[in-house]
Amino acid sequence: MEGKLSSVAKNFTPSSIQELSQLAQKCNAINLAEGFPDFPAPPCIKEAAVSAINNDFNQYRRVQGICDQLALKMKKTHGLNVNPLTDIAICCGQSEAFAAAIFSIINQGDEVLLFDPCYETYEGCITLAGGIPVYVALEPPQWTLDPEKLMRSFTSRTKAIVLNSPHNPTGKVFSRDELEIIAEGCRQWDCVAITDEVYEYITYDNQKHETIAKLPGMQERTIITSSLSKTFSVTGWRIGWAIAPASAIQNIHIRITDSAPAPFQEAALTALRSPIEYFETLRGEYELKRDFCMKLLGSIGFRIQFKPQGSLFLFAELPKDCLLSDVEYVEELIKQAGVVVVPGRGFFHGNESCNYQKRYIRVAFCKSGATLNAAAQKFGELINAKACPKILY
Amino acid sequence: MQAAECTWTHFEMLRPFCFKSPSTTPLFFNFSKHFQKGYSDSSFFRSNWRISNYPSFMATISSVSTHKDPVSTHDATPNITHQPVQVAKRLEKFKTTIFTQMSMLAIKHGAIKIGQGFPNFDGPDFVKEAAIQAIKDGKNQYARGYGVPDFNNAIAARFKKDTGLVIDPEKEVTVTSGCSEAIAATMLGLIDPGDEVILFAPFYDSYEATLSMAGAKVKCITLRPPDFAVPIDELKSTISKNTRAILINTPHNPTGKMFTREELNTIASLCIENDVLVFTDEVYDKLAFEMDHISMASLPGMYERTVTMNSLGKTFSLTGWKIGWAIAPPHLTWGVRQAHSFLTFATSTPMQYAATVALQAPDSYFAELKTDYMAKKAILVQGLKDVGFKVFPSSGTYFVVVDHTRFGLDNDIAFCEYLIKEVGVVAIPTSVFYLNPEDGKNLVRFTFCKDEETLRSAVERMKEKLKKK
């Protein structure tokens, strides 16, 4: 009865990231693959959730306070005026916010531009809504945006462009100039920008995250999506949001899940009122982890050409002398070093038959000091024993 | 991945990166003592409630700001003059829901809400405590996309207890953010644009919207009072080899009808004959009062073509937790899981642990739930009859529909507005649950998922102020 699957569902493959995680668990490998922390969430936020459950915040609700906080934040950080009563939908994670945005604007056959490489879920969602994903490749090793390539990709069928910055998997933070180029394309072709800003508070080396919505002519055509997950280490709580002017998003969202988990909406109020020190500490500590990770890879022969400017990931090209593909390398790393990372090919979708698409690995460094030190220890043992020439250079 | 439990209390740096002395034990690196400080006042959330907009009576009933309650519109809002982002054509007709509109009116008039389908009392302590424990134990990161293994197991065990069917929790259970998302994932995963789907009206309002999102062609069969029986002849002439699926909600919202074994058997044989899928929404299965609940999946030949959906919210009075699930054979589960992974990716982790405990509740819990609801139902139904409504029999759910016409209003919306403004009670107009609103104009829906005092007060108000014409 395979015929009963919708044609769209038939073409999907299981999340490679999740599969690898399962293999890693079997081998008890140190997991530097999946993008969620293995350290606890901040205690006061957990306490707020516990309090909410005890105080009977357990029925359907939409906590307006979250919208008020977000509107304040948008004003303070980006200078944007957002109406907290009409412009914000609280969703089950940024995942649902993105799905709600896509379903609210995509008609069958609409094209959606995506930068390549990118997070694997966007395409599935767009296809589910009847849209057509069109990829614009960022150029390695610096993942630069070619303005001409971008403008050539817009057609009369282009409805939207997806912008994930800070970027998964490369760690790129799109510059103001790049945002301006993208904005120009949107204005010229009357397109919507859908942003994924989940790593908005995780930027390095004094880089600041900017939202494209603040550029001239963009607020009215931008849907911003983000969530609590990465900022507050609560990826399992499913609290996210979509922000767009007087949008239909709320009504569409209601039909997908109706509302986000009530007690965690309450806890979100605590989280969103965190003092500035919280965000500074977050950034500082992730920066240290980033630096540690770069040295970690350096010790086994990697030459990191692109230092992550944001996000929780390092996207590293395999050493030139290494003859393995990304998948082979990852398998070797699990077997020999007991460490798991993600092969980069799953993030590439281009038609271009570029070798580089099979030459990257993604390392997640949103892990505890214990985990990172353990990985260092493993690599150290390999190096000292001069074992496994396949992964040491 | 196990989340590491936080036991350290002081800030330590990563040791400088160095392989020279592997025998030295590594130091731990952790987030700083900022996270040990309680920098928020625990009473803050009360200050965020829009209490000032609620009459004090409302505050005692439910001080919760629900998503279906719109916020007050008299606050100063910045002057935004942006054009709205355009909505996809097939979804343009879905504006604010009727629930939001009625709520606005109810707040304005301080009306007693016995219209909307969620309780004004809370869930059981043992389930809440399980959620709290899960949060404290650090179960706060992404769960496996299709469900926490223990929870999938508990769902399978519960399904076996309820239907006798043995299923594989790994291959045949998908956990979703409420039954709402199970429905959306099922539609989007298994329905192609142009596919014919049969719906029974009146229907829960999200069905039509998700079917539209999937681009399906909806064929509607109306259930009519007094018993809302399935019109078999009409069903036979509607179903054909072109039908992809039929959606059944039993026990049924808004009428309280429960599909009988005879009806299900007839539908089953038509589905087998025409190779049609069945999607069932059984969220009220534990609120079955006048007869036993029957799952379509348990009928001969039906499991292989049925997606059975359910949730935690109604059975455990925790509607805001958003824990639901879909049970289907592997070849159908695949489509559901794919769509789900692009809708929400994963479901709230701590609540799944709590739901595992909930589903293992002893029989006494469910027996007591039924007894409590039957007492509430008696108060409401007798009350509505005393007031003068024509009350249709409701076998299950916590809803009752009544005919309002002897009170002289033109249609259901007019009646509900009158009821709020002049009487101070909220009911829900049923016309929005029909493809053709005319079909519902004589009917309104009341609920009894409220504490007894609220129900009595509402009945008293209606007795006092609602006059027959």
Side-chain angles (χ1 to χ4, degrees), chain A residues 8 12 98 102-103 105-115 118 121-136 153-162 191-192 194 349 351, chain B residues 90:
Chain A
V8 156
F12 291 142
F98 184 82
I102 290 288
F103 278 99
I105 61 168
I106 297 299
N107 286 307
Q108 189 85 19
D110 282 349
E111 290 176 5
V112 180
L113 296 184
L114 296 155
F115 292 107
C118 74
T121 299
Y122 303 139
E123 172 174 309
C125 189
I126 291 163
T127 315
L128 205 60
I132 299 168
V134 173
Y135 289 95
V136 179
S153 307
F154 281 95
T155 72
S156 55
R157 284 182 307 279
T158 310
K159 189 64 179 279
I161 180 166
V162 175
C191 290
V192 173
I194 303 176
H349 308 80
N351 292 324
Chain B
R90 68 190 183 286

Side-chain angles (χ1 to χ4, degrees), chain A residues 6-20:
Chain A
S6 72
S7 52
V8 156
K10 266 184 239 174
N11 290 326
F12 291 142
T13 51
S15 164
S16 51
I17 297 177
Q18 290 196 328
E19 272 184 339
L20 275 172

Side-chain angles (χ1 to χ4, degrees), chain A residues 166-177:
Chain A
H167 185 244
N168 172 10
T170 65
K172 172 187 173 69
V173 172
F174 284 71
S175 68
R176 173 62 82 106
D177 287 344

Side-chain angles (χ1 to χ4, degrees), chain B residues 112-284:
Chain B
I112 301 176
K113 288 162 130 184
I114 51 170
Q116 282 178 283
F118 52 87
N120 68 346
F121 46 83
D122 210 42
D125 285 339
F126 73 96
V127 180
K128 287 165 40 170
E129 272 149 27
I132 288 169
Q133 195 56 50
I135 292 168
K136 290 180 173 167
D137 288 346
K139 310 249 190 282
N140 300 306
Q141 307 309 328
Y142 289 127
R144 188 177 63 174
Y146 58 93
V148 165
D150 279 348
F151 187 37
N152 287 46
N153 291 341
I155 292 169
R158 189 76 234 168
F159 193 62
K160 172 156 189 248
K161 194 154 193 240
D162 293 340
T163 64
L165 292 169
V166 174
I167 60 168
D168 182 343
E170 290 300 295
K171 301 202 178 92
E172 298 177 288
V173 175
T174 305
V175 175
T176 56
S177 291
C179 189
S180 306
E181 200 223 324
I183 294 165
T186 299
M187 301 293 196
L188 290 167
L190 297 175
I191 301 294
D192 273 319
D195 281 352
E196 265 181 34
V197 176
I198 295 176
L199 265 193
F200 291 103
F203 47 76
Y204 177 58
D205 66 336
S206 85
Y207 297 163
E208 199 195 346
T210 49
L211 281 166
S212 295
M213 281 200 279
K217 215 161 72 182
V218 178
K219 294 234 158 147
C220 198
I221 295 176
T222 305
L223 304 176
R224 297 183 193 284
D227 55 4
F228 302 102
V230 177
I232 298 294
D233 290 338
E234 198 184 328
L235 177 60
K236 283 183 176 162
S237 65
T238 310
I239 201 170
S240 74
K241 299 244 186 294
N242 290 329
T243 310
R244 176 67 159 224
I246 183 166
L247 180 54
I248 297 173
N249 170 216
T250 179
H252 183 247
N253 172 11
T255 64
K257 168 203 172 49
M258 290 177 65
F259 282 62
T260 63
R261 190 169 286 280
E262 293 69 35
E263 287 172 324
L264 291 175
N265 275 329
T266 307
I267 298 171
S269 51
L270 288 168
C271 286
I272 291 171
E273 197 185 309
N274 293 283
D275 194 21
V276 175
L277 297 181
V278 180
F279 303 153
T280 68
D281 171 356
E282 302 183 20
V283 293
Y284 299 102

Side-chain angles (χ1 to χ4, degrees), chain A residues 1-7 9 12-14 18 25 31 36-40 42-44 46 48-51 53-62 64 68 81 83 85 92 95-96 99 103-108 119 121 124-125 128-129 192 219-220 223 230 233-238 245-246 248 251-252 254-264 266 269-270 273-275 277-278 281-282 285 288-289 292 295-296 299 369-370 373 376-377 379-380 383-384, chain B residues 1 3-6 11 13-15 17 19 22 26-32 34-35 39-40 44-46 48-50 64-68 71-72 77 80 82-91 94-97 117-119 121-122 128 131-132 135-136 140-142 145 177 180-181 184 188-193 204-206 209-210 213 244 275 277 304-305 314 317-322 331-332 334-335 338-339 341-351:
Chain A
M1 280 180 85
E2 275 71 32
K4 287 300 175 184
L5 288 177
S6 72
S7 52
F12 291 142
T13 51
Q18 290 196 328
Q25 266 189 303
N31 192 325
F36 57 81
D38 61 358
F39 47 80
C44 60
K46 293 198 290 191
V50 166
S51 222
I53 293 170
N54 278 328
N55 285 311
D56 302 346
F57 285 89
N58 298 307
Q59 308 311 323
Y60 292 127
R61 55 205 318 266
R62 172 179 182 260
Q64 181 58 34
D68 297 338
N81 286 321
N83 185 334
L85 299 179
C92 290
S95 304
E96 198 228 325
F103 278 99
S104 71
I105 61 168
I106 297 299
N107 286 307
Q108 189 85 19
Y119 179 54
T121 299
C125 189
L128 205 60
V192 173
Q219 187 174 5
E220 67 222 43
I223 301 173
K230 308 301 195 294
S233 308
V234 286
T235 59
W237 281 15
R238 321 314 290 137
N251 294 331
I252 305 309
I254 281 172
R255 272 80 183 195
I256 300 183
T257 66
D258 194 61
S259 56
F264 299 134
E266 279 304 312
L269 288 174
T270 304
R273 286 158 61 116
S274 298
E277 292 80 33
Y278 174 85
T281 307
L282 183 81
E285 295 187 345
L288 286 169
K289 292 179 197 287
F292 189 88
K295 291 206 183 97
L296 193 66
S299 74
N373 280 321
Q377 184 117 13
F379 286 178
I383 292 170
N384 289 337
Chain B
M1 277 307 297
E5 187 55 17
C6 180
F11 177 50
M13 284 293 292
L14 267 173
R15 60 190 293 256
F17 194 83
F19 285 132
L27 297 174
F28 290 109
F29 175 57
N30 70 320
F31 278 97
S32 81
H34 273 298
F35 297 160
Y39 46 71
S40 308
F44 77 92
F45 24 55
R46 288 183 199 272
N48 277 287
W49 296 356
R50 306 184 74 84
V64 163
S65 160
T66 69
H67 84 281
K68 291 171 171 135
V71 294
S72 134
T77 58
I80 311 283
H82 304 287
Q83 298 272 52
V85 173
Q86 293 164 18
V87 178
K89 290 183 189 46
R90 68 190 183 286
L91 298 174
F94 299 108
K95 309 260 179 232
T96 327
T97 68
F118 52 87
F121 46 83
D122 210 42
K128 287 165 40 170
I132 288 169
I135 292 168
K136 290 180 173 167
N140 300 306
Q141 307 309 328
Y142 289 127
S177 291
S180 306
E181 200 223 324
L188 290 167
L190 297 175
I191 301 294
D192 273 319
Y204 177 58
D205 66 336
S206 85
T210 49
M213 281 200 279
R244 176 67 159 224
D275 194 21
L277 297 181
E304 68 201 53
R305 58 180 65 253
K314 314 298 197 282
S317 310
L318 296 164
T319 57
W321 281 21
K322 309 308 295 162
H331 61 277
L332 297 182
W334 182 250
Q338 291 312 310
S341 65
F342 302 119
L343 289 176
T344 61
F345 185 65
T347 307
S348 155
T349 310
M351 294 353 192

